[in-house]
Amino acid sequence: MDWLQLFLLGGLAILLMMTALWLVSVAATDASLVDIFWGPGFGLAALTYFALSEGWAGRKLLSLALTLVWGLRLGLHLYRRNRGKGEDDRYRRFRQHYGPERYGWVSFFQVFLLQGALMWLISAPLLVAQLSPTPSAFTLFDALGSLMWLIGFAFETIGDWQLAQFKANPANYGKVLKAGLWRYTRHPNCFGDACIWWGLWLIACSSPWGWITVFAPALMTFLLVRVSGVALLEQNLAQRPGYREYIESTSTFFPWPPKRRPKDED
């Protein structure tokens, strides 16, 4: 089976998953379900490529394991964070704009099909890493990619945990988290997510022509910075008391020592 057939089958698996999620979301009147399955969806693509490809077993297992660990952790984190809160405001506004009945169909194309297409394109390094039988040994790219993945996973996991602990304290309601990793970047979880995908791309670079999938981590980084991550969060937080001072002192994305010690640090 050649790479195109495998890639198309990965896309088909994602399409089936997104269609099933869409049907559940229509019944539940909650398009937010799609967010929980963003990470696990990449795990499904990786499993599809793993089962059908004939690449070197060591790299296949490495790529699959790292994708599953990241995807399942992210999905579980979002499930816990969103449980019992109803539909996200983003989708609620779209539902009001298009009308409750019409949005059922609109959401399939606007939300589920769009995210599925992005997921499919970004999964390209997962395919390449598992496709080639050579080199049949770990390379420097595998080591660098695993290290980059580990750094990203640490930033994303610790950043999410610190934010959850901060929000769990009622005394912090309306305040801005400026401690821990959040002292050095306003979005450590988004930075970590980007690192994870650059790491998976580096692992794919061990295989012939793996470098050509550079569009995948670049697209993921663009989405994190300009679309669904940093830009959206900054827009929602801009009016929060103390956030303007936080912006002036703290790096947006890449970790960096603060320009000055933030006031009223928590």
Side-chain angles (χ1 to χ4, degrees), residues 73-88:
R73 189 218 71 88
L74 179 60
L76 183 59
H77 167 71
L78 292 176
Y79 169 74
R80 289 173 173 171
R81 189 189 70 181
N82 300 341
R83 180 175 51 187
K85 295 183 177 179
E87 189 171 43
D88 187 275

Side-chain angles (χ1 to χ4, degrees), residues 51-120:
L52 300 176
S53 64
E54 299 179 355
W56 182 58
R59 189 163 297 107
K60 287 180 64 175
L61 286 168
L62 176 64
S63 177
L64 175 64
L66 296 183
T67 304
L68 287 177
V69 169
W70 166 76
L72 293 176
R73 189 218 71 88
L74 179 60
L76 183 59
H77 167 71
L78 292 176
Y79 169 74
R80 289 173 173 171
R81 189 189 70 181
N82 300 341
R83 180 175 51 187
K85 295 183 177 179
E87 189 171 43
D88 187 275
D89 287 341
R90 293 170 295 164
Y91 306 117
R92 193 176 301 153
R93 286 193 293 268
F94 285 130
R95 192 177 298 279
Q96 292 173 349
H97 175 75
Y98 290 103
E101 295 184 2
R102 185 185 175 196
Y103 190 64
W105 286 103
V106 171
S107 66
F108 178 70
F109 299 97
Q110 182 199 48
V111 178
F112 292 86
L113 199 59
L114 175 59
Q115 289 200 25
L118 291 171
M119 189 183 298
W120 179 47

Side-chain angles (χ1 to χ4, degrees), residues 215-242:
F215 64 85
L219 176 57
M220 178 65 92
T221 304
F222 174 79
L223 292 174
L224 288 167
V225 175
R226 297 295 184 183
V227 182
S228 62
V230 173
L232 183 61
L233 291 169
E234 294 277 300
Q235 180 180 353
N236 293 335
L237 295 170
Q239 304 305 317
R240 179 168 295 186

